[in-house]
Amino acid sequence: MFVDRARITVKSGKGGNGSVSFRREPFVPEGGPDGGDGGKGGDVIFEASNSYRTLMDFKYKKKYEAQSGEDGMKKKKFGKNGENLIIKVPPGTVIIDELSGLVMKDLVKDGDRVVAVKGGKGGKGNVHFKNSVRQAPNFAEAGGSARERTVILELKLIADVGLLGFPNVGKSTLLSVSTSAKPKIANYHFTTITPNLGVVQIYDKSFVMADIPGLIEGAHEGTGLGLDFLKHVERTKVLIHIVDIAGSEGRDPIEDFNKINNELIRYSDKVAKKPQIVVGNKSDLIYDQKISDDFKSYVESKGYKCFIMSAATSQGVKEVLSAAAKALDELPEEDETYELYDFEMSDEDPDYREVYTYIDEETGDFVIEGKQLTKIFDSTNFNDMESLRYLYRYVKNKGAIDELKELGLQEGDTVRIKNYEFEFEDE
């Protein structure tokens, strides 16, 4: 089964907590703190690999989680870092953040990578909190929290040449006689429901050719799964536009040619401007040479190269493939790193600001929240006065107390941090 779109959730590893430990060795008076730091949580990384061709693996497994870092230990020993989770995807996969709709990375080549979520930092051990006044800190820093994100994986096939046209015009037949690919061929619409790839070898050149499932009018709006098919055209460098010149299904070849090109224009200006070779196929079925001459004259008047061909008998196939190889040679060099946007959460997002304050409309409580505040709060030893002072100084130095007073905070009011409530006492 060919799967070209998947939705999964990825979660990084939590950072290990710092250790609260004191030296307890004979003949070492006043040993002091020796708690080590926690290890960093593992990142979740997407990597393009030529070993994969579809997103089939993501059809059944929907959640991926990296390893958390280990907690710090006594004797200043660091906790082990969590292992990164590397998720392999086919080249041509676009990684999209579902929440924002932004493209995080377009993984085009084998080995391309992007870090989807970073692991939490390891917390500092109590050895870092010793100073001239605080000789025996009875607290350490909690590890950084894990981050979770839902992403959309969208695969767009990478091919040099793309075959497009209405259903049943001979695209699969051309692919089968030009390459070793064995696409399904039958005399009815949409025998090709997923793209097929094949390698064309002509003279001393070779290129990858993709048979794109048939388009119909309205494809740019999704009609007939048009958007699912058109996205695969985006990766191709040259288009071979195949038209049933015999009108075997009662359609007019020139109208077919114009309709498909209109769909390309409406879908994407960039796609519509790709080099295009037009092929009048099924020439073995036409009864009058004037039909092919008129079609070729019309197409060439629009600025396109046009060939008359019969894929079924292989007549004219070599000329079409030669033209495609020549068009590829004439293309200017391109930077193949199609990176669109490296997604980073904005500093203005509340989840990533150090401290922010507000009033809970339901309870009337004054609330203080923030990423770093949560980390320090989780590190607080509520049985140790020095640890409580450390928390209070952080909140005050970040301006949270002043902000709450501007919101109307008075002595005796309830202040909430996470799920804990405190009664405010002004200094």
Side-chain angles (χ1 to χ4, degrees):
M1 180 184 292
F2 183 85
V3 179
D4 59 2
R5 187 176 175 85
R7 176 183 180 273
I8 63 172
T9 300
V10 291
K11 185 177 182 181
S12 63
K14 179 186 177 299
N17 297 323
S19 171
V20 177
S21 174
F22 297 91
R23 296 180 69 179
R24 296 287 189 268
E25 301 172 34
F27 314 113
V28 182
E30 300 177 357
D34 70 347
D37 299 346
K40 177 186 175 297
D43 300 335
V44 177
I45 301 169
F46 286 100
E47 180 180 302
S49 169
N50 285 333
S51 300
Y52 295 82
R53 288 291 177 265
T54 81
L55 300 176
M56 184 68 180
D57 291 351
F58 306 102
K59 183 175 177 63
Y60 304 104
K61 186 176 179 182
K62 299 292 186 180
K63 187 156 187 176
Y64 296 79
E65 186 171 347
Q67 188 179 47
S68 293
E70 291 183 354
D71 294 342
M73 294 165 279
K74 60 184 179 180
K75 296 185 179 180
K76 300 180 184 178
K77 291 182 180 178
F78 289 87
K80 184 181 177 182
N81 291 338
E83 289 189 13
N84 294 333
L85 175 62
I86 299 176
I87 302 174
K88 300 291 184 71
V89 296
T93 301
V94 182
I95 315 296
I96 304 168
D97 175 68
E98 184 185 57
L99 184 62
S100 66
L102 298 175
V103 173
M104 299 168 65
K105 185 83 171 181
D106 194 356
L107 304 177
V108 178
K109 302 190 301 294
D110 181 59
D112 281 356
R113 282 185 164 202
V114 63
V115 177
V117 277
K118 294 182 179 179
K121 293 182 179 179
K124 295 179 180 179
N126 68 336
V127 70
H128 293 279
F129 299 96
K130 178 183 176 183
N131 57 35
S132 58
V133 177
R134 189 193 304 123
Q135 293 292 316
N138 199 26
F139 63 95
E141 187 179 47
S145 58
R147 295 175 65 178
E148 187 171 315
R149 175 172 289 150
T150 299
V151 298
I152 304 296
L153 309 180
E154 190 170 275
L155 174 62
K156 298 178 181 179
L157 289 181
I158 299 175
D160 298 306
V161 176
L163 304 177
L164 76 157
F166 272 87
N168 207 28
V169 295
K171 300 185 298 298
S172 297
T173 304
L174 176 59
L175 185 72
S176 69
V177 300
S178 307
T179 73
S180 59
K182 303 298 180 186
K184 183 178 180 181
I185 300 173
N187 189 28
Y188 55 84
H189 288 195
F190 296 112
T191 48
T192 303
I193 57 175
T194 60
N196 293 305
L197 293 177
V199 178
V200 175
Q201 187 75 42
I202 183 163
Y203 307 125
D204 58 344
K205 303 179 187 297
S206 65
F207 57 85
V208 178
M209 190 159 69
D211 170 17
I212 310 298
L215 303 176
I216 60 176
E217 197 169 8
H220 70 283
E221 296 175 336
T223 303
L225 296 179
L227 293 178
D228 290 344
F229 298 161
L230 278 166
K231 69 185 178 186
H232 294 297
V233 181
E234 292 181 31
R235 298 288 193 193
T236 58
K237 300 174 182 177
V238 173
L239 301 177
I240 296 180
H241 181 172
I242 300 180
V243 179
D244 177 3
I245 198 174
S248 57
E249 297 193 350
R251 296 193 308 268
D252 180 81
I254 291 177
E255 284 185 10
D256 281 4
F257 166 75
N258 288 328
K259 284 177 180 178
I260 292 296
N261 275 341
N262 286 336
E263 293 303 318
L264 296 182
I265 293 169
R266 291 175 182 177
Y267 174 70
S268 165
D269 233 12
K270 182 180 177 182
V271 170
K273 291 177 180 176
K274 288 181 180 290
Q276 184 179 139
I277 297 167
V278 181
V279 177
N281 190 31
K282 302 189 180 181
S283 62
D284 55 315
L285 300 181
I286 60 175
Y287 58 88
D288 188 347
Q289 181 68 32
K290 187 175 183 301
I291 295 174
S292 59
D293 291 342
D294 289 347
F295 177 77
K296 186 173 183 179
S297 296
Y298 178 81
V299 170
E300 290 179 345
S301 71
K302 298 294 183 181
Y304 298 99
K305 290 183 179 179
C306 183
F307 296 83
I308 305 301
M309 177 189 80
S310 170
T313 64
S314 295
Q315 181 184 355
V317 168
K318 189 174 182 180
E319 289 78 1
V320 171
L321 299 180
S322 297
K326 184 179 179 183
L328 287 170
D329 286 342
E330 293 174 350
L331 286 175
E333 287 292 326
E334 289 185 359
D335 180 6
E336 295 189 354
T337 56
Y338 295 94
E339 184 174 341
L340 303 180
Y341 190 89
D342 274 331
F343 182 86
E344 286 294 341
M345 187 66 77
S346 168
D347 291 337
E348 296 302 313
D349 190 291
D351 289 340
Y352 295 89
R353 286 164 51 188
E354 287 190 283
V355 171
Y356 70 102
T357 58
Y358 64 92
I359 299 175
D360 188 323
E361 294 181 358
E362 292 184 7
T363 64
D365 294 344
F366 293 85
V367 183
I368 309 175
E369 292 184 1
K371 178 186 175 183
Q372 184 65 17
L373 171 63
T374 298
K375 187 175 179 180
I376 292 174
F377 189 83
D378 290 341
S379 310
T380 301
N381 179 354
F382 290 94
N383 296 317
D384 182 78
M385 190 54 65
E386 281 296 326
S387 183
L388 288 169
R389 287 197 189 103
Y390 184 80
L391 170 65
Y392 179 77
R393 277 197 298 271
Y394 174 82
V395 171
K396 185 177 180 183
N397 291 341
K398 293 301 177 183
I401 301 299
D402 292 336
E403 287 182 18
L404 288 178
K405 286 181 178 179
E406 289 179 7
L407 292 174
L409 178 67
Q410 296 179 358
E411 194 160 337
D413 287 341
T414 299
V415 176
R416 190 171 76 236
I417 301 177
K418 292 187 70 174
N419 294 324
Y420 295 85
E421 297 180 349
F422 307 90
E423 186 177 296
F424 177 65
E425 293 182 9
D426 206 353
E427 292 181 326

